[in-house]
Amino acid sequence: MADRTSKQPPDRSRDLIAGTPFRPRLGDLASDLAKDGRIGVVVALPSDESASYQLRPPGGGADWRARSDGATLRALPVPVTHATPMRRDAVYDHRAQQAALAVTVHFEDGGSCDAMLVLTPAQVELHHAQLERLLDARQSAQERAR
């Protein structure tokens, strides 16, 4: 019998192919492949006066220029700080044998996005046991505080 898997998100590998242009805005951080991945803040955009992007190291230093088509520039991912459960019921899909919990993912820049935390049955059992211990610890602390 063939293994059943959940539906996968669309393939985004085309977006990561070398040469895919990234057109940053002023103030964006970018990695410049032409400078061995050097990271810089975009301080000037291509225009009638300048035929290239101008970047500066985040802590200051000598500026450099990058191609105006953005072919050597790559966006830097914004780090995730944490995820919080949303006020929605978790669901279990018996056919896929997966549980799903809606969460909000928070980023270092203050942004956020909604996502699904997908758990196998073993992960559900593990987290159930961990949450039960946390609830017991909370109740014990509340009783001691009385």
Side-chain angles (χ1 to χ4, degrees), residues 24-41:
R25 299 170 299 186
L26 282 176
D28 282 354
L29 282 175
S31 173
D32 189 352
L33 300 177
K35 299 287 185 180
D36 295 323
R38 188 172 177 195
I39 296 171
V41 178

mmCIF file with all atom_site columns, all heavy atoms in Angstrom, residues 24-41:
data_model
loop_
_atom_site.group_PDB
_atom_site.id
_atom_site.type_symbol
_atom_site.label_atom_id
_atom_site.label_alt_id
_atom_site.label_comp_id
_atom_site.label_asym_id
_atom_site.label_entity_id
_atom_site.label_seq_id
_atom_site.pdbx_PDB_ins_code
_atom_site.Cartn_x
_atom_site.Cartn_y
_atom_site.Cartn_z
_atom_site.occupancy
_atom_site.B_iso_or_equiv
_atom_site.pdbx_formal_charge
_atom_site.auth_seq_id
_atom_site.auth_comp_id
_atom_site.auth_asym_id
_atom_site.auth_atom_id
_atom_site.pdbx_PDB_model_num
ATOM 1   N N   . PRO A 1 24 ? 15.460 45.428 -4.160 1.00 0.00 ? 24 PRO A N   1
ATOM 2   C CA  . PRO A 1 24 ? 15.264 45.946 -2.806 1.00 0.00 ? 24 PRO A CA  1
ATOM 3   C C   . PRO A 1 24 ? 14.834 47.406 -2.805 1.00 0.00 ? 24 PRO A C   1
ATOM 4   O O   . PRO A 1 24 ? 14.988 48.126 -3.795 1.00 0.00 ? 24 PRO A O   1
ATOM 5   C CB  . PRO A 1 24 ? 16.646 45.792 -2.173 1.00 0.00 ? 24 PRO A CB  1
ATOM 6   C CG  . PRO A 1 24 ? 17.594 45.842 -3.312 1.00 0.00 ? 24 PRO A CG  1
ATOM 7   C CD  . PRO A 1 24 ? 16.867 45.224 -4.480 1.00 0.00 ? 24 PRO A CD  1
ATOM 8   N N   . ARG A 1 25 ? 14.298 47.806 -1.665 1.00 0.00 ? 25 ARG A N   1
ATOM 9   C CA  . ARG A 1 25 ? 13.919 49.203 -1.450 1.00 0.00 ? 25 ARG A CA  1
ATOM 10  C C   . ARG A 1 25 ? 14.971 49.853 -0.576 1.00 0.00 ? 25 ARG A C   1
ATOM 11  O O   . ARG A 1 25 ? 15.809 49.175 0.018  1.00 0.00 ? 25 ARG A O   1
ATOM 12  C CB  . ARG A 1 25 ? 12.558 49.278 -0.772 1.00 0.00 ? 25 ARG A CB  1
ATOM 13  C CG  . ARG A 1 25 ? 11.445 48.648 -1.608 1.00 0.00 ? 25 ARG A CG  1
ATOM 14  C CD  . ARG A 1 25 ? 10.181 48.513 -0.832 1.00 0.00 ? 25 ARG A CD  1
ATOM 15  N NE  . ARG A 1 25 ? 10.464 47.626 0.319  1.00 0.00 ? 25 ARG A NE  1
ATOM 16  C CZ  . ARG A 1 25 ? 9.562  47.188 1.166  1.00 0.00 ? 25 ARG A CZ  1
ATOM 17  N NH1 . ARG A 1 25 ? 8.319  47.536 1.052  1.00 0.00 ? 25 ARG A NH1 1
ATOM 18  N NH2 . ARG A 1 25 ? 9.885  46.390 2.155  1.00 0.00 ? 25 ARG A NH2 1
ATOM 19  N N   . LEU A 1 26 ? 14.924 51.169 -0.474 1.00 0.00 ? 26 LEU A N   1
ATOM 20  C CA  . LEU A 1 26 ? 15.843 51.875 0.412  1.00 0.00 ? 26 LEU A CA  1
ATOM 21  C C   . LEU A 1 26 ? 15.722 51.339 1.827  1.00 0.00 ? 26 LEU A C   1
ATOM 22  O O   . LEU A 1 26 ? 14.615 51.133 2.330  1.00 0.00 ? 26 LEU A O   1
ATOM 23  C CB  . LEU A 1 26 ? 15.536 53.383 0.415  1.00 0.00 ? 26 LEU A CB  1
ATOM 24  C CG  . LEU A 1 26 ? 16.023 54.176 -0.781 1.00 0.00 ? 26 LEU A CG  1
ATOM 25  C CD1 . LEU A 1 26 ? 15.567 55.630 -0.678 1.00 0.00 ? 26 LEU A CD1 1
ATOM 26  C CD2 . LEU A 1 26 ? 17.533 54.106 -0.926 1.00 0.00 ? 26 LEU A CD2 1
ATOM 27  N N   . GLY A 1 27 ? 16.864 51.095 2.453  1.00 0.00 ? 27 GLY A N   1
ATOM 28  C CA  . GLY A 1 27 ? 16.872 50.611 3.822  1.00 0.00 ? 27 GLY A CA  1
ATOM 29  C C   . GLY A 1 27 ? 16.825 49.108 3.966  1.00 0.00 ? 27 GLY A C   1
ATOM 30  O O   . GLY A 1 27 ? 17.047 48.586 5.053  1.00 0.00 ? 27 GLY A O   1
ATOM 31  N N   . ASP A 1 28 ? 16.545 48.379 2.890  1.00 0.00 ? 28 ASP A N   1
ATOM 32  C CA  . ASP A 1 28 ? 16.523 46.913 2.967  1.00 0.00 ? 28 ASP A CA  1
ATOM 33  C C   . ASP A 1 28 ? 17.932 46.366 3.137  1.00 0.00 ? 28 ASP A C   1
ATOM 34  O O   . ASP A 1 28 ? 18.905 46.946 2.636  1.00 0.00 ? 28 ASP A O   1
ATOM 35  C CB  . ASP A 1 28 ? 15.941 46.309 1.687  1.00 0.00 ? 28 ASP A CB  1
ATOM 36  C CG  . ASP A 1 28 ? 14.431 46.381 1.613  1.00 0.00 ? 28 ASP A CG  1
ATOM 37  O OD1 . ASP A 1 28 ? 13.808 46.789 2.605  1.00 0.00 ? 28 ASP A OD1 1
ATOM 38  O OD2 . ASP A 1 28 ? 13.888 46.025 0.549  1.00 0.00 ? 28 ASP A OD2 1
ATOM 39  N N   . LEU A 1 29 ? 18.021 45.233 3.827  1.00 0.00 ? 29 LEU A N   1
ATOM 40  C CA  . LEU A 1 29 ? 19.277 44.498 3.887  1.00 0.00 ? 29 LEU A CA  1
ATOM 41  C C   . LEU A 1 29 ? 19.316 43.559 2.696  1.00 0.00 ? 29 LEU A C   1
ATOM 42  O O   . LEU A 1 29 ? 18.301 42.965 2.331  1.00 0.00 ? 29 LEU A O   1
ATOM 43  C CB  . LEU A 1 29 ? 19.368 43.669 5.168  1.00 0.00 ? 29 LEU A CB  1
ATOM 44  C CG  . LEU A 1 29 ? 19.729 44.409 6.442  1.00 0.00 ? 29 LEU A CG  1
ATOM 45  C CD1 . LEU A 1 29 ? 19.666 43.468 7.631  1.00 0.00 ? 29 LEU A CD1 1
ATOM 46  C CD2 . LEU A 1 29 ? 21.107 45.028 6.345  1.00 0.00 ? 29 LEU A CD2 1
ATOM 47  N N   . ALA A 1 30 ? 20.485 43.435 2.094  1.00 0.00 ? 30 ALA A N   1
ATOM 48  C CA  . ALA A 1 30 ? 20.641 42.542 0.952  1.00 0.00 ? 30 ALA A CA  1
ATOM 49  C C   . ALA A 1 30 ? 22.005 41.890 1.010  1.00 0.00 ? 30 ALA A C   1
ATOM 50  O O   . ALA A 1 30 ? 22.965 42.462 1.529  1.00 0.00 ? 30 ALA A O   1
ATOM 51  C CB  . ALA A 1 30 ? 20.485 43.321 -0.358 1.00 0.00 ? 30 ALA A CB  1
ATOM 52  N N   . SER A 1 31 ? 22.073 40.689 0.479  1.00 0.00 ? 31 SER A N   1
ATOM 53  C CA  . SER A 1 31 ? 23.334 39.972 0.330  1.00 0.00 ? 31 SER A CA  1
ATOM 54  C C   . SER A 1 31 ? 23.751 40.117 -1.126 1.00 0.00 ? 31 SER A C   1
ATOM 55  O O   . SER A 1 31 ? 22.947 39.903 -2.033 1.00 0.00 ? 31 SER A O   1
ATOM 56  C CB  . SER A 1 31 ? 23.115 38.504 0.689  1.00 0.00 ? 31 SER A CB  1
ATOM 57  O OG  . SER A 1 31 ? 24.262 37.750 0.408  1.00 0.00 ? 31 SER A OG  1
ATOM 58  N N   . ASP A 1 32 ? 25.010 40.484 -1.359 1.00 0.00 ? 32 ASP A N   1
ATOM 59  C CA  . ASP A 1 32 ? 25.502 40.696 -2.718 1.00 0.00 ? 32 ASP A CA  1
ATOM 60  C C   . ASP A 1 32 ? 26.396 39.523 -3.122 1.00 0.00 ? 32 ASP A C   1
ATOM 61  O O   . ASP A 1 32 ? 27.505 39.365 -2.599 1.00 0.00 ? 32 ASP A O   1
ATOM 62  C CB  . ASP A 1 32 ? 26.280 42.007 -2.792 1.00 0.00 ? 32 ASP A CB  1
ATOM 63  C CG  . ASP A 1 32 ? 26.641 42.400 -4.209 1.00 0.00 ? 32 ASP A CG  1
ATOM 64  O OD1 . ASP A 1 32 ? 26.432 41.589 -5.148 1.00 0.00 ? 32 ASP A OD1 1
ATOM 65  O OD2 . ASP A 1 32 ? 27.136 43.527 -4.397 1.00 0.00 ? 32 ASP A OD2 1
ATOM 66  N N   . LEU A 1 33 ? 25.902 38.670 -4.023 1.00 0.00 ? 33 LEU A N   1
ATOM 67  C CA  . LEU A 1 33 ? 26.647 37.498 -4.467 1.00 0.00 ? 33 LEU A CA  1
ATOM 68  C C   . LEU A 1 33 ? 27.942 37.868 -5.174 1.00 0.00 ? 33 LEU A C   1
ATOM 69  O O   . LEU A 1 33 ? 28.913 37.120 -5.136 1.00 0.00 ? 33 LEU A O   1
ATOM 70  C CB  . LEU A 1 33 ? 25.776 36.634 -5.386 1.00 0.00 ? 33 LEU A CB  1
ATOM 71  C CG  . LEU A 1 33 ? 24.485 36.083 -4.772 1.00 0.00 ? 33 LEU A CG  1
ATOM 72  C CD1 . LEU A 1 33 ? 23.694 35.304 -5.811 1.00 0.00 ? 33 LEU A CD1 1
ATOM 73  C CD2 . LEU A 1 33 ? 24.774 35.243 -3.548 1.00 0.00 ? 33 LEU A CD2 1
ATOM 74  N N   . ALA A 1 34 ? 27.972 39.029 -5.804 1.00 0.00 ? 34 ALA A N   1
ATOM 75  C CA  . ALA A 1 34 ? 29.181 39.478 -6.502 1.00 0.00 ? 34 ALA A CA  1
ATOM 76  C C   . ALA A 1 34 ? 30.277 39.858 -5.512 1.00 0.00 ? 34 ALA A C   1
ATOM 77  O O   . ALA A 1 34 ? 31.441 39.976 -5.890 1.00 0.00 ? 34 ALA A O   1
ATOM 78  C CB  . ALA A 1 34 ? 28.866 40.666 -7.410 1.00 0.00 ? 34 ALA A CB  1
ATOM 79  N N   . LYS A 1 35 ? 29.930 40.042 -4.263 1.00 0.00 ? 35 LYS A N   1
ATOM 80  C CA  . LYS A 1 35 ? 30.894 40.389 -3.208 1.00 0.00 ? 35 LYS A CA  1
ATOM 81  C C   . LYS A 1 35 ? 30.980 39.268 -2.180 1.00 0.00 ? 35 LYS A C   1
ATOM 82  O O   . LYS A 1 35 ? 31.085 39.511 -0.976 1.00 0.00 ? 35 LYS A O   1
ATOM 83  C CB  . LYS A 1 35 ? 30.485 41.695 -2.511 1.00 0.00 ? 35 LYS A CB  1
ATOM 84  C CG  . LYS A 1 35 ? 30.436 42.906 -3.410 1.00 0.00 ? 35 LYS A CG  1
ATOM 85  C CD  . LYS A 1 35 ? 31.839 43.347 -3.768 1.00 0.00 ? 35 LYS A CD  1
ATOM 86  C CE  . LYS A 1 35 ? 31.772 44.634 -4.576 1.00 0.00 ? 35 LYS A CE  1
ATOM 87  N NZ  . LYS A 1 35 ? 33.087 45.109 -4.956 1.00 0.00 ? 35 LYS A NZ  1
ATOM 88  N N   . ASP A 1 36 ? 30.887 38.014 -2.653 1.00 0.00 ? 36 ASP A N   1
ATOM 89  C CA  . ASP A 1 36 ? 30.971 36.829 -1.784 1.00 0.00 ? 36 ASP A CA  1
ATOM 90  C C   . ASP A 1 36 ? 29.918 36.827 -0.685 1.00 0.00 ? 36 ASP A C   1
ATOM 91  O O   . ASP A 1 36 ? 30.177 36.425 0.453  1.00 0.00 ? 36 ASP A O   1
ATOM 92  C CB  . ASP A 1 36 ? 32.369 36.695 -1.172 1.00 0.00 ? 36 ASP A CB  1
ATOM 93  C CG  . ASP A 1 36 ? 33.444 36.426 -2.216 1.00 0.00 ? 36 ASP A CG  1
ATOM 94  O OD1 . ASP A 1 36 ? 33.136 35.687 -3.182 1.00 0.00 ? 36 ASP A OD1 1
ATOM 95  O OD2 . ASP A 1 36 ? 34.567 36.937 -2.072 1.00 0.00 ? 36 ASP A OD2 1
ATOM 96  N N   . GLY A 1 37 ? 28.708 37.303 -1.002 1.00 0.00 ? 37 GLY A N   1
ATOM 97  C CA  . GLY A 1 37 ? 27.607 37.283 -0.041 1.00 0.00 ? 37 GLY A CA  1
ATOM 98  C C   . GLY A 1 37 ? 27.657 38.394 0.990  1.00 0.00 ? 37 GLY A C   1
ATOM 99  O O   . GLY A 1 37 ? 26.944 38.345 1.983  1.00 0.00 ? 37 GLY A O   1
ATOM 100 N N   . ARG A 1 38 ? 28.482 39.382 0.750  1.00 0.00 ? 38 ARG A N   1
ATOM 101 C CA  . ARG A 1 38 ? 28.595 40.507 1.684  1.00 0.00 ? 38 ARG A CA  1
ATOM 102 C C   . ARG A 1 38 ? 27.219 41.139 1.898  1.00 0.00 ? 38 ARG A C   1
ATOM 103 O O   . ARG A 1 38 ? 26.438 41.309 0.960  1.00 0.00 ? 38 ARG A O   1
ATOM 104 C CB  . ARG A 1 38 ? 29.560 41.538 1.108  1.00 0.00 ? 38 ARG A CB  1
ATOM 105 C CG  . ARG A 1 38 ? 29.912 42.647 2.029  1.00 0.00 ? 38 ARG A CG  1
ATOM 106 C CD  . ARG A 1 38 ? 31.011 43.483 1.410  1.00 0.00 ? 38 ARG A CD  1
ATOM 107 N NE  . ARG A 1 38 ? 31.309 44.610 2.273  1.00 0.00 ? 38 ARG A NE  1
ATOM 108 C CZ  . ARG A 1 38 ? 32.005 45.658 1.896  1.00 0.00 ? 38 ARG A CZ  1
ATOM 109 N NH1 . ARG A 1 38 ? 32.489 45.723 0.666  1.00 0.00 ? 38 ARG A NH1 1
ATOM 110 N NH2 . ARG A 1 38 ? 32.231 46.631 2.738  1.00 0.00 ? 38 ARG A NH2 1
ATOM 111 N N   . ILE A 1 39 ? 26.912 41.489 3.143  1.00 0.00 ? 39 ILE A N   1
ATOM 112 C CA  . ILE A 1 39 ? 25.611 42.051 3.493  1.00 0.00 ? 39 ILE A CA  1
ATOM 113 C C   . ILE A 1 39 ? 25.714 43.564 3.584  1.00 0.00 ? 39 ILE A C   1
ATOM 114 O O   . ILE A 1 39 ? 26.668 44.102 4.160  1.00 0.00 ? 39 ILE A O   1
ATOM 115 C CB  . ILE A 1 39 ? 25.115 41.463 4.826  1.00 0.00 ? 39 ILE A CB  1
ATOM 116 C CG1 . ILE A 1 39 ? 24.879 39.961 4.656  1.00 0.00 ? 39 ILE A CG1 1
ATOM 117 C CG2 . ILE A 1 39 ? 23.849 42.165 5.299  1.00 0.00 ? 39 ILE A CG2 1
ATOM 118 C CD1 . ILE A 1 39 ? 24.591 39.231 5.937  1.00 0.00 ? 39 ILE A CD1 1
ATOM 119 N N   . GLY A 1 40 ? 24.720 44.234 3.005  1.00 0.00 ? 40 GLY A N   1
ATOM 120 C CA  . GLY A 1 40 ? 24.709 45.694 3.055  1.00 0.00 ? 40 GLY A CA  1
ATOM 121 C C   . GLY A 1 40 ? 23.301 46.245 3.136  1.00 0.00 ? 40 GLY A C   1
ATOM 122 O O   . GLY A 1 40 ? 22.325 45.555 2.840  1.00 0.00 ? 40 GLY A O   1
ATOM 123 N N   . VAL A 1 41 ? 23.221 47.488 3.575  1.00 0.00 ? 41 VAL A N   1
ATOM 124 C CA  . VAL A 1 41 ? 21.964 48.232 3.606  1.00 0.00 ? 41 VAL A CA  1
ATOM 125 C C   . VAL A 1 41 ? 21.891 49.013 2.298  1.00 0.00 ? 41 VAL A C   1
ATOM 126 O O   . VAL A 1 41 ? 22.866 49.669 1.903  1.00 0.00 ? 41 VAL A O   1
ATOM 127 C CB  . VAL A 1 41 ? 21.929 49.216 4.802  1.00 0.00 ? 41 VAL A CB  1
ATOM 128 C CG1 . VAL A 1 41 ? 20.650 50.023 4.802  1.00 0.00 ? 41 VAL A CG1 1
ATOM 129 C CG2 . VAL A 1 41 ? 22.108 48.471 6.113  1.00 0.00 ? 41 VAL A CG2 1
#
